[in-house]
Amino acid sequence: MFHYKADEEFKSNAMVAVKKICDYRDDQIHNHDFVEIVYVIEGTCKHSISGEEFTVKAGDLLFINYGCTHAFYENKMVAYNLMVRVEYFTKNMIKNDNLFYMLALTSFEKIQHELNDKSPLVSFDYSERDDMLRLFKNIEEEQSKNELAKSLILDSYINIILCKVFRKIFVKDNNKDLLIPQDILDYINEHFNEKISLSDLSQRCFYNPTYFSRLFKKAFNMSFTDYIMEVRLKRCSELLKNSDYTIDKIIEKCGFSDRNTFYERFKNKYGCTPSEYRNN
């Protein structure tokens, strides 16, 4: 089994390192003396950690503790890999004047115990993924610089990520029955350009359509129809910036059947026409 050492993986005395994984290679079984935080941007893979297997997909984040034996295989994912020295946690997290005050009276071993009792995987829904991706990109960009207050800025980004992770792990949700199942959201995000009915989706999670509609509105503060519209508009905005498709082709690919409705909704959301948005 291969063992990775922080002193060999990190530049000089750096406390963190980040890299993008996009080569689709499978790992050999290994462990390391640093914490690894893997955020999946797209695709899927299998992950074996301490003898347990997990399926990993876009929006998932894995907190892999130091000393854990693990490997990725059947790897078809693109991900960010954030590596953090164990000392980082004791120097930066355990302070009673920051968002980790709830952990101030404990130790990293306590965190490790909590994590080992649970899945090392947390999932971020579609509405959260842009924020997570932006944080990892910011770390990657800042890591490449050599500018004033670099470490302070990196600390800020990493603390935000860790706050979001620990919220998912430790904060007790007293309204779990109000949450929309993740596989339903994944289905919407994969089939947003098709005709999706509230009735069909509610059957997938064994809800009455009226009840499902209320749950959706409570979970996202918008109706099911508006949520679908938001997903479609977001995809349109991405294609406008990152493709050479004509606007009519984008409208078609994103599932809009009414061109006028698309233009009206797009302008309401982004404050400009699709052409103006593309050229800005």
Side-chain angles (χ1 to χ4, degrees), residues 84-268:
V84 186
R85 291 182 188 266
V86 174
E87 305 94 277
Y88 177 88
F89 292 88
T90 56
K91 290 181 179 178
N92 295 279
M93 281 177 52
I94 311 303
K95 299 177 182 178
N96 59 13
D97 60 347
N98 67 14
L99 289 177
F100 285 103
Y101 69 92
M102 76 289 287
L103 300 175
L105 300 179
T106 187
S107 65
F108 188 79
E109 284 71 26
K110 172 65 175 175
I111 300 171
Q112 182 182 9
H113 173 73
E114 291 289 340
L115 289 171
N116 286 343
D117 283 347
K118 303 174 186 290
S119 165
L121 179 153
V122 295
S123 295
F124 292 91
D125 64 37
Y126 195 79
S127 64
E128 300 169 306
R129 293 178 191 176
D130 277 354
D131 285 342
M132 291 300 295
L133 178 57
R134 191 175 301 111
L135 286 166
F136 280 91
K137 284 183 175 179
N138 287 343
I139 291 172
E140 181 181 40
E141 181 181 346
E142 194 64 34
Q143 186 77 17
S144 68
K145 298 177 180 178
N146 189 22
E147 297 184 4
L148 182 68
K150 172 180 174 177
S151 62
L152 182 61
I153 291 174
L154 284 172
D155 287 351
S156 299
Y157 290 141
I158 293 169
N159 278 338
I160 293 171
I161 289 173
L162 293 173
C163 280
K164 290 178 179 290
V165 171
F166 284 115
R167 278 179 180 176
K168 294 278 185 180
I169 294 171
F170 291 105
V171 176
K172 303 300 181 184
D173 186 353
N174 296 321
N175 295 298
K176 286 186 176 180
D177 57 319
L178 299 179
L179 300 178
I180 304 298
Q182 185 61 45
D183 60 338
I184 295 296
L185 299 179
D186 289 339
Y187 181 88
I188 292 172
N189 294 326
E190 291 168 9
H191 299 273
F192 66 90
N193 58 341
E194 303 170 13
K195 184 176 181 180
I196 304 177
S197 77
L198 177 67
S199 177
D200 288 343
L201 277 184
S202 62
Q203 289 178 6
R204 283 176 169 264
C205 49
F206 308 102
Y207 285 138
N208 172 279
T210 303
Y211 179 65
F212 182 73
S213 178
R214 288 204 305 271
L215 289 184
F216 214 98
K217 190 160 188 177
K218 190 156 191 176
F220 296 103
N221 199 30
M222 67 178 72
S223 69
F224 170 77
T225 302
D226 286 341
Y227 183 88
I228 299 290
M229 182 64 68
E230 286 291 307
V231 173
R232 287 175 175 169
L233 288 171
K234 182 177 182 301
R235 182 56 178 153
C236 283
S237 69
E238 292 170 352
L239 289 175
L240 284 167
K241 289 293 188 183
N242 302 312
S243 80
D244 295 325
Y245 291 130
T246 65
I247 293 176
D248 283 342
K249 186 65 176 177
I250 290 173
I251 292 172
E252 177 188 335
K253 287 181 73 68
C254 293
F256 286 95
S257 57
D258 186 326
R259 197 171 186 274
N260 291 333
T261 298
F262 164 73
Y263 271 90
E264 180 182 350
R265 292 279 193 153
F266 191 94
K267 190 163 187 179
N268 285 341

